[in-house]
Amino acid sequence: MNNLQQRARAFEDQYAHQQEMLFKAEVRRNVMIGKWAAEAMGRTDGESYARELALTQVNEPHRLLERLRHDFEAAGVEVKESEIQTRMLEMLHQAADELHNQG
């Protein structure tokens, strides 16, 4: 393998690692947001709701915000979309930091 091929392979490996870490951070974030949302809605099944939201990302990656809005509305809890988005971003950063600190 020549230098150019080695370098290309290194970039591919780095990209794959970054995508894996992003996926893990998003799943962790979804669990965190699920626990927060469950508490805000007064649900007693916080852990199971959080796991359900984590699966939402795997099955339908871009539907999490819509799902949260719907669930809050169904529970009669008023939460602004901007607050949900802010919490999602904060929790994604927190999840990424936790993963980074785990090594």
Side-chain angles (χ1 to χ4, degrees):
M1 192 181 292
N2 66 35
N3 281 343
L4 188 56
Q5 290 171 324
Q6 288 175 343
R7 190 170 175 166
R9 178 63 186 206
F11 281 126
E12 289 172 4
D13 290 346
Q14 181 183 11
Y15 178 77
H17 176 72
Q18 289 171 340
Q19 291 302 303
E20 179 183 355
M21 294 305 286
L22 178 59
F23 176 79
K24 288 179 179 181
E26 287 176 339
V27 169
R28 187 175 287 213
R29 183 262 332 257
N30 291 352
V31 170
M32 293 164 65
I33 198 85
K35 289 177 182 178
W36 166 77
E39 184 177 328
M41 289 185 272
R43 294 179 66 141
T44 58
D45 62 340
E47 289 291 327
S48 107
Y49 180 70
R51 283 191 302 272
E52 190 178 319
L53 282 183
L55 288 175
T56 295
Q57 180 216 354
V58 174
N59 296 325
E60 301 176 279
H62 303 291
R63 307 269 324 251
L64 181 63
L65 180 59
E66 180 183 323
R67 167 74 188 270
L68 285 166
R69 279 193 324 246
H70 175 267
D71 290 352
F72 276 121
E73 187 177 306
V77 176
E78 187 175 327
V79 178
K80 293 181 181 180
E81 184 173 326
S82 61
E83 182 181 351
I84 297 170
Q85 290 173 328
T86 299
R87 295 238 182 201
M88 288 174 66
L89 184 59
E90 289 171 352
M91 290 178 182
L92 181 60
H93 286 295
Q94 181 181 345
D97 287 344
E98 289 174 4
L99 287 170
H100 178 73
N101 292 333
Q102 284 181 350

